[in-house]
Amino acid sequence: MGAYWILLVAVVVIVLQASLFRRFALKRITYSRSFKVPTCFEGDALELVEVIENRKILPVPWLRVESQFRTGIAFRGQHNLDISEGQYYQNHKSFFSLMPWTKIVRRHHVTAIHRGFYRLGTVSMTSGDLLGSSSDVSSFPLEGGLTVYPEPLDVSDMSLPVQTWMGDMIVRRWIVEDPFLVSGVRQYQDGDPLKDIHWKASARSGSLQVRRRDATADCRIKVYLNIEDHEQMWSKATRPESVEYGIRLTAGIAAHLLSQGMELGLGSNGCLVEEPNVMIDLPVAGGREQIHSIFDALARLELSRVLSFHDYLEQELNRLEERYDILIVSTYVSDRLQSMLHRFQDHGHRVQVTLLEDIGQGHKEVSA
């Protein structure tokens, strides 16, 4: 009879504790994680800080924390961290036991292996009773993330159109019309934009007159990066190494030119991460903010095209209202693309092509 009561009491205790922990184990449990810095470059080492706190009098006998990251962030040896890594994502799993009013702070030492934007993602916490017979699960998203900039290549000693532009800027510069300096009117000529027509002067003279603009020394550069690794690419790059090299080269060119006080804009036919129909379109500008904008855009660039490079350049040609120095960074130049570049030249733009070759052989310049 005594054994029966002992068994009955044991069953009641097991059921009560299971109900108690199932209901309250995850109550007042807080979790957060954040990178110590919001941005870094490929190859940089940094810290990811993880904080777990039990803000109640009831202990938590066991707590499983699971999260997911994109691949590209490498975690160095860390106690109590099980990592299973796939092609695109890595799953993390850790186990804890929390006493009442306890806070645990973990500092993960990680390395940014590849450019990109890494969201902190969603965390799932599971806890239960002392015997593991029942459990409760809670999932919630975390705000923030890490932007990993591409590592800029050193272009200071490379034979690139960069050196030509620097010579133009320092020695004689490219003389272009300044749209803000008007020195009079002249007879209309074929090709003059309609927005420059001076209607009052035209009415007085009886023929179309356009505003004459003074010249100013300027060098405005637009870089177009092609994410297609070959002309027949369907949607996603099949040889990403060459395109990734082009991204790092573009970052190096932008950093070098902007550091010399020049103005530069950036465009690409690739889409931005989490924005599949949005392409890079940074207007020409200078200064520190512009280089951060370019690095951020290159970090978020996906190797999936929105338009073919030919169609993208045609779209750009139709909307450019000023003359630019154009730099094309591409893995190929086809006859069709060459014809498009000649159209840019016919509209007064100066065009240079940096042709990306196989990895290990660098790049070369091609005349348009």
Side-chain angles (χ1 to χ4, degrees), residues 122-361:
T122 299
V123 168
S124 176
M125 296 193 302
T126 306
S127 186
D129 66 339
L130 294 167
L131 302 178
S133 59
S134 64
S135 62
D136 186 24
V137 180
S138 176
S139 298
F140 52 92
L142 296 173
E143 297 295 328
L146 174 71
T147 302
V148 179
Y149 296 153
E151 180 183 7
L153 296 182
D154 183 5
V155 301
S156 57
D157 296 327
M158 294 181 181
S159 178
L160 286 173
V162 173
Q163 308 306 327
T164 302
W165 294 329
M166 289 302 301
D168 285 347
M169 179 181 176
I170 296 172
V171 180
R172 61 178 177 80
R173 293 192 171 191
W174 182 31
I175 303 301
V176 300
E177 289 183 341
D178 191 323
F180 298 103
L181 297 179
V182 179
S183 60
V185 295
R186 60 172 173 81
Q187 190 75 22
Y188 175 84
Q189 300 175 359
D190 290 341
D192 286 335
L194 294 179
K195 64 183 179 64
D196 283 348
I197 294 177
H198 196 300
W199 296 107
K200 290 184 178 179
S202 299
R204 287 195 301 266
S205 65
S207 62
L208 284 178
Q209 302 290 310
V210 296
R211 295 176 178 86
R212 179 187 292 116
R213 303 191 183 279
D214 272 346
T216 182
D218 197 7
C219 186
R220 295 165 62 79
I221 303 163
K222 190 82 180 212
V223 179
Y224 290 115
L225 172 64
N226 182 12
I227 62 92
E228 293 176 330
D229 53 14
H230 61 284
E231 189 175 18
Q232 304 303 321
M233 192 184 96
W234 178 248
S235 175
K236 206 170 184 67
T238 55
R239 293 179 297 156
E241 296 83 5
S242 297
V243 184
E244 291 292 345
Y245 181 84
I247 291 173
R248 295 194 295 273
L249 178 63
T250 301
I253 292 172
H256 183 67
L257 291 177
L258 290 169
S259 69
Q260 301 299 321
M262 304 178 78
E263 293 187 338
L264 181 141
L266 176 66
S268 176
N269 59 332
C271 66
L272 296 176
V273 62
E274 300 178 352
E275 298 179 276
N277 296 316
V278 177
M279 298 180 288
I280 294 178
D281 181 23
L282 295 178
V284 173
R288 184 177 297 273
E289 289 187 5
Q290 180 72 346
I291 189 58
H292 286 308
S293 298
I294 290 175
F295 282 171
D296 185 78
L298 291 174
R300 296 170 183 262
L301 180 62
E302 293 280 345
L303 302 189
S304 297
R305 76 174 196 183
V306 179
L307 293 173
S308 70
F309 196 52
H310 176 276
D311 293 345
Y312 169 71
L313 288 182
E314 184 171 32
Q315 175 179 288
E316 286 292 296
L317 180 61
N318 292 333
R319 75 187 190 96
L320 290 180
E321 296 183 354
E322 302 176 36
R323 290 187 298 173
Y324 292 95
D325 277 313
I326 303 292
L327 173 61
I328 304 294
V329 180
S330 176
T331 60
Y332 72 91
V333 175
S334 63
D335 293 341
R336 187 165 176 255
L337 190 55
Q338 188 76 45
S339 176
M340 176 57 65
L341 299 183
H342 287 318
R343 289 178 57 188
F344 270 84
Q345 292 174 324
D346 292 341
H347 281 73
H349 306 289
R350 294 198 305 180
V351 181
Q352 297 279 355
V353 178
T354 294
L355 186 61
L356 304 173
E357 297 184 304
D358 293 336
I359 298 303
Q361 298 182 22

